[in-house]
Amino acid sequence: GAGVSQSPSNKVTEKGKDVELRCDPISGHTALYWYRQSLGQGLEFLIYFQGNSAPDKSGLPSDRFSAERTGGSVSTLTIQRTQQEDSAVYLCASREGQPMGYTFGSGTRLTVV
Amino acid sequence: TQLLEQSPQFLSIQEGENLTVYCNSSSVFSSLQWYRQEPGEGPVLLVTVVTGGEVKKLKRLTFQFGDARKDSSLHITAAQPGDTGLYLCATQKWLASNTGKLIFGQGTTLQVKP
């Protein structure tokens, strides 16, 4: 596709359940990022994938959060045993190369009830 | 501690007014980006500034990078309701692998009333 695609666009889940969020980056973009955004706030970095390199997981808030990127393309962010404080918009971005050129998806709005 | 401090956090003005949003830091940056985000969408890149003292114009928007490359401003002339949104500044944090990740400020929420 022409842009970064994220699914689902909205997810409501019960506290304690696991959720998976999906990101389809722009074809050919080697770098993929996950960010989290609370209402009306800036973006909090979560994790970064670059080609075949080990991902930068320094932003993951706890071990309940994990992410994979299969075949250098699609990425899945998994949150286990969700808590109410996990409620936020989760944004994915991809980038072709240096230095800039980030393209963001529309995000997944996660609500934990 | 925020690497980038944006001010003001909220701004509500009437159509036709001018406004300025600031992005400040104690660190020197090689470059800085400004994004605009509308409800339900991801941020969209407006501009990248790389040279100290640089001024870039995008229609009614004027972006400036401080001489010391520690701060930036976004000035909007004759604001319109379509300018409503969340304005974010961001900079690259370079890693040892010579790749980078974007670090964002907290954002400025702008509301322009007709």
Side-chain angles (χ1 to χ4, degrees):
Chain A
V4 176
S5 178
Q6 290 189 246
S7 61
S9 55
N10 283 285
K11 176 71 176 180
V12 180
T13 189
E14 292 181 352
K15 178 181 173 181
K17 294 286 180 70
D18 298 350
V19 294
E20 284 190 353
L21 313 180
R22 177 186 169 103
C23 173
D24 281 277
I26 292 174
S27 178
H29 280 196
T30 57
L32 186 148
Y33 301 79
W34 283 98
Y35 287 85
R36 180 170 70 174
Q37 185 176 33
S38 299
L39 185 64
Q41 297 296 308
L43 279 67
E44 174 190 5
F45 167 78
L46 296 178
I47 188 169
Y48 160 51
F49 296 90
Q50 173 65 54
N52 295 321
S53 303
D56 175 356
K57 303 179 182 180
S58 60
L60 295 178
S62 77
D63 58 8
R64 297 186 295 105
F65 288 71
S66 63
E68 291 184 341
R69 188 178 185 192
T70 54
S73 181
V74 172
S75 178
T76 302
L77 176 68
T78 301
I79 309 174
Q80 295 178 310
R81 304 182 303 281
T82 52
Q83 303 295 315
Q84 287 185 328
E85 60 263 29
D86 299 334
S87 296
V89 176
Y90 290 81
L91 289 157
C92 175
S94 69
R95 175 171 59 81
E96 181 175 6
Q98 298 294 351
M100 301 297 180
Y102 290 73
T103 302
F104 283 85
S106 298
T108 294
R109 179 174 296 279
L110 175 66
T111 303
V112 182
V113 298
Chain B
T1 303
Q2 284 281 344
L3 181 63
L4 295 171
E5 297 283 348
Q6 285 190 242
S7 62
Q9 278 191 286
F10 302 97
L11 198 51
S12 181
I13 61 172
Q14 292 295 135
E15 182 176 1
E17 292 183 359
N18 301 331
L19 67 116
T20 302
V21 174
Y22 299 93
C23 178
N24 297 303
S25 176
S26 57
S27 301
V28 175
F29 303 118
S30 58
S31 62
L32 194 133
Q33 295 180 315
W34 283 95
Y35 288 80
R36 187 175 84 182
Q37 184 180 21
E38 297 185 24
E41 299 295 328
V44 175
L45 179 66
L46 296 174
V47 76
T48 301
V49 286
V50 297
T51 306
E54 181 177 5
V55 176
K56 284 191 173 180
K57 292 192 175 184
L58 187 65
K59 295 183 181 178
R60 293 175 294 101
L61 278 61
T62 301
F63 303 86
Q64 186 162 8
F65 202 15
D67 291 340
R69 306 206 316 276
K70 291 183 177 182
D71 54 87
S72 181
S73 64
L74 158 59
H75 182 79
I76 301 179
T77 303
Q80 298 177 0
D83 297 327
T84 293
L86 177 66
Y87 289 82
L88 297 154
C89 64
T91 191
Q92 286 272 57
K93 184 174 182 180
W94 292 102
L95 308 174
S97 56
N98 202 32
T99 53
K101 61 187 181 187
L102 272 184
I103 305 297
F104 286 84
Q106 315 99 303
T108 294
T109 299
L110 172 64
Q111 180 187 45
V112 182
K113 301 175 186 175

